[in-house]
Amino acid sequence: MTKRLPCPPAPGPLEAHAVRFDDLFGTLAQRRGFRGYLAGLLLPRDRNKTLTCLAGAEPVAGAQHAAVQRLQFFLSESTWSQEAVNARRLELLLADPATAPHPGGALLVDDSGDRKDGTATAHVGKQYLGSVGKIDRGVVTVTTCWADERVYYPVHACPYTPAHHFSRGKDDPGFCTKLQIAADLAARAKAAGLVFRAVGPTAPTATRTASARAWTLLACRS
């Protein structure tokens, strides 16, 4: 068996957290990419949703920088499992008394989206985007978050695919409404070991097509 090469450590106490995920990555490049991604998310940088800022490079001009290209490959081309990484993250949260869920918490659902031009991107469509507060072309992701009066953290996420992406539109077996996705995510949260007293939207605009009755049914299903 080939000896596993040591990975340059992440900054400060972040390494103690990153090392808990090392067995989920098969190569040194993946372990380095994971550490770089975590550091980019946590460092005080503007626009940390962009690859250039995550990698500490200049916007636009730094798009071809080696660090940016490595991060791009890690996130879009590398063969690690995001489901396995997220499952490990939840395991760690459940095992820590400071973040362990309890029956007094709540599972919050959100469906905010981001603008995206063009039509080639998966899941893109003209729809309500919570981030801009209006209907526009973009991508919407349904997310769940566990919260109480002390802490909150993301649980699962699933992109919403508008009906026009399916051959039979809303009648297509593969099409799911945002509320159906939310119900599935609530079931996944319960299966992962999270407990909560209620399921609901993060804000009045979240899943704006869902009625009060629908939210009651969703809470009962979970």
Side-chain angles (χ1 to χ4, degrees), residues 106-109 144 182 186 196-201 215-216 218-219 222:
L107 191 72
L108 304 179
V109 182
T144 50
F196 36 87
R197 60 180 171 81
V199 180
W215 278 113
T216 301
L218 174 57
S222 63

Side-chain angles (χ1 to χ4, degrees), residues 21 84-94 153-156:
F21 296 82
V85 171
N86 192 54
R88 177 65 53 81
R89 180 182 65 86
L90 292 177
E91 288 174 10
L92 295 173
L93 287 168
L94 267 64
Y153 47 81
V155 180
H156 293 110

Side-chain angles (χ1 to χ4, degrees), residues 113-115 125-138 140 205 208:
D114 292 300
R115 283 176 174 165
K126 194 170 184 180
Q127 54 196 316
Y128 181 82
L129 304 178
S131 59
V132 295
K134 64 178 183 179
I135 295 176
D136 204 341
R137 183 172 294 279
V140 168
T205 56
R208 42 195 284 129

